[in-house]
Amino acid sequence: MEATDMEVEELPPSNPDPFKRISLKNSIQTNFGDDYVFQIVPKDDWTAMAVSLSTNAVKVYSPVTGQYYGECNGHSATINQIAFSGPSTPHVLHSCSSDGTIRAWDTRTFQQVSSFHSGSSQEIFSFSFGGSGNNLLAAGCDAQILFWDWRSNKQVACLEDSHVEDVTQVHFIPDHQSKLLSASVDGLMCIFDTEGDINEDDHLDSVLNVGTSIGKVGFFGETYEKLWCLTHIETLSIWDWKDASETSFQDARSLASKGWTLDDPSQVNSVWQVDYFVDCHYSREAEQLWVIGGTNSGTLGYFPVSYKGNKAIGSAEAVLGGGHTGIVRSVLPMSSMPSGSSQGHGIFGWTGGEDGRLCCWLSDNAPEINRSWISSTLVARSPRTRNTKRHQPY
């Protein structure tokens, strides 16, 4: 029994204001020390969420109640990415690490069931499952991209000429499963076609030059033709990966900070500074992209991004404050939950950070803890009205 995984801290109420509110439901301390929360990811059916920690362990919780289920132990170095498998094996969780392995865990028993090794003690920073036959596992390593056929556990390709520094991201593109995007500290994003025998001479489709070290990327749009890119110097760029067009926000932090100062009703006399970006979030229903920025003291803001016509980063439409005391590393929005699910109704999402804390946020008008506010556009719609359409190194 791990007592700290059931400890909950609740904050005192504050005065209401005329805005739609978001509030801190509870805060779970994940450990006894000062260990970081790196990433939070949901199971496909949202009956569990996995949390990677700086202890090289992955803990599993309920995203609805915060109940602690168990943990997976085995990595000997930093865990760089975690992800659940798809509907065919929903109980399987994968993790990659600087120990040079990708490990598969059965979250019913919390035991390791398989592993892939990079060889030569290469760190693995990112991984992705895909391919036209859905049989490929790609991994981003030290200036290399490795491919396995996960069915046979056999390595089938190694691309080593496209990048000259660590490959921080690899993603098979949704709805284009034979296409793989890689991103690196060298500032390049490469798109490969993985049909047939994979090699760089015949399968490198295009190269996008971001110009600085890339931290995180994600896809969005009706056919996932758009991608957002966050860099290690906190710039944001939006790309159409098919035609290589770009909208760049080199001053993203100052634009977001300006928007935060103007329109946060609870902090009208304060000057807020966005110190870093955590992630981006896209709503298909609203056709809106937000960049999520934070302060070193643990407050988060959701900033709408306009990348068509006059580019802009708008005023914060949600502020999550009073939960964390350090840098936030991961955000899991419950609005990403599939339509028709009644789970998590009223929960805005979960956040985790360098204070070793998981925070659960409510999206309703909970009267007891009104510390933060949110615009109605960011509140998850009820299952009855929602449309059926629906990461990493620092």
Side-chain angles (χ1 to χ4, degrees):
M1 176 68 177
E2 188 172 41
T4 52
D5 279 301
M6 300 305 295
E7 290 177 4
V8 172
E9 299 176 9
E10 294 200 355
L11 300 183
S14 61
N15 294 327
D17 61 42
F19 285 78
K20 176 73 175 175
R21 309 278 308 182
I22 183 171
S23 58
L24 181 67
K25 179 186 178 184
N26 61 40
S27 172
I28 302 172
Q29 203 69 28
T30 61
N31 51 75
F32 287 104
D34 298 320
D35 301 305
Y36 292 2
V37 172
F38 282 144
Q39 190 181 7
I40 312 168
V41 300
K43 192 176 176 181
D44 194 63
D45 62 2
W46 285 79
T47 57
M49 63 181 183
V51 180
S52 58
L53 300 173
S54 58
T55 56
N56 307 331
V58 181
K59 295 188 178 184
V60 182
Y61 299 86
S62 164
V64 178
T65 65
Q67 180 184 350
Y68 171 69
Y69 292 146
E71 67 182 270
C72 307
N73 285 289
H75 283 297
S76 60
T78 301
I79 296 174
N80 295 313
Q81 183 188 338
I82 56 174
F84 276 97
S85 296
S88 60
T89 52
H91 57 279
V92 176
L93 173 75
H94 287 88
S95 56
C96 73
S97 167
S98 293
D99 65 12
T101 66
I102 300 173
R103 300 174 189 247
W105 312 88
D106 187 328
T107 55
R108 298 168 298 186
T109 62
F110 304 101
Q111 298 300 307
Q112 180 179 312
V113 292
S114 66
S115 64
F116 301 84
H117 297 262
S118 64
S120 304
S121 301
Q122 280 205 87
E123 297 182 77
I124 301 179
F125 300 106
S126 181
F127 66 91
S128 183
F129 286 89
S132 58
N134 203 32
N135 63 307
L136 293 178
L137 168 60
C141 305
D142 305 337
Q144 293 184 347
I145 305 165
L146 303 180
F147 292 88
W148 291 271
D149 186 324
W150 59 262
R151 299 169 303 183
S152 64
N153 208 19
K154 179 183 178 182
Q155 186 176 320
V156 295
C158 174
L159 305 181
E160 51 189 358
D161 296 328
S162 298
H163 294 291
V164 296
E165 295 188 66
D166 294 346
V167 180
T168 55
Q169 298 274 279
V170 289
H171 294 278
F172 282 100
I173 302 175
D175 290 355
H176 307 269
Q177 277 296 87
S178 68
K179 302 287 187 182
L180 179 89
L181 179 135
S182 61
S184 170
V185 173
D186 63 17
L188 299 181
M189 295 189 292
C190 298
I191 297 173
F192 301 91
D193 191 328
T194 62
E195 289 279 8
D197 295 328
I198 306 165
N199 64 78
E200 280 156 313
D201 292 336
D202 302 325
H203 291 77
L204 177 59
D205 284 354
S206 60
V207 178
L208 309 176
N209 189 355
V210 178
T212 189
S213 179
I214 299 166
K216 195 170 188 180
V217 301
F219 296 91
F220 68 99
E222 191 65 31
T223 60
Y224 299 100
E225 74 283 359
K226 300 288 188 183
L227 69 90
W228 53 263
C229 173
L230 290 172
T231 71
H232 290 127
I233 61 169
E234 314 301 344
T235 63
L236 168 68
S237 55
I238 311 297
W239 299 76
D240 186 310
W241 61 266
K242 293 183 177 180
D243 65 16
S245 59
E246 177 194 13
T247 301
S248 179
F249 296 88
Q250 297 296 316
D251 55 348
R253 272 197 300 177
S254 61
L255 290 172
S257 298
K258 181 180 178 182
W260 209 338
T261 306
L262 291 177
D263 281 357
D264 182 350
S266 66
Q267 304 291 344
V268 291
N269 296 319
S270 300
V271 177
W272 288 93
Q273 174 66 45
V274 174
D275 295 310
Y276 55 90
F277 291 115
V278 183
D279 209 336
C280 288
H281 175 60
Y282 180 74
S283 166
R284 272 199 161 189
E285 290 129 334
E287 296 185 352
Q288 178 62 59
L289 178 72
W290 290 271
V291 61
I292 305 170
T295 70
N296 290 332
S297 59
T299 299
L300 290 178
Y302 272 65
F303 302 91
V305 179
S306 175
Y307 52 90
K308 302 175 183 176
N310 294 327
K311 67 176 186 178
I313 296 179
S315 301
E317 292 185 349
V319 174
L320 283 63
H324 289 285
T325 58
I327 292 171
V328 178
R329 288 289 193 114
S330 188
V331 178
L332 175 63
M334 295 292 271
S335 58
S336 301
M337 185 179 285
S339 306
S341 173
S342 60
Q343 295 186 86
H345 182 67
I347 298 179
F348 179 72
W350 289 82
T351 55
E354 295 187 4
D355 53 8
R357 183 176 289 181
L358 286 171
C359 291
C360 180
W361 304 88
L362 297 176
S363 61
D364 59 12
N365 283 314
E368 67 274 17
I369 314 164
N370 288 321
R371 276 292 182 91
S372 304
W373 61 271
I374 182 172
S375 74
S376 58
T377 58
L378 268 170
V379 177
R381 293 177 173 86
S382 71
R384 293 187 300 275
T385 60
R386 289 187 64 193
N387 194 304
T388 54
K389 295 180 180 179
R390 49 144 222 105
H391 111 252
Q392 19 266 297
Y394 267 63

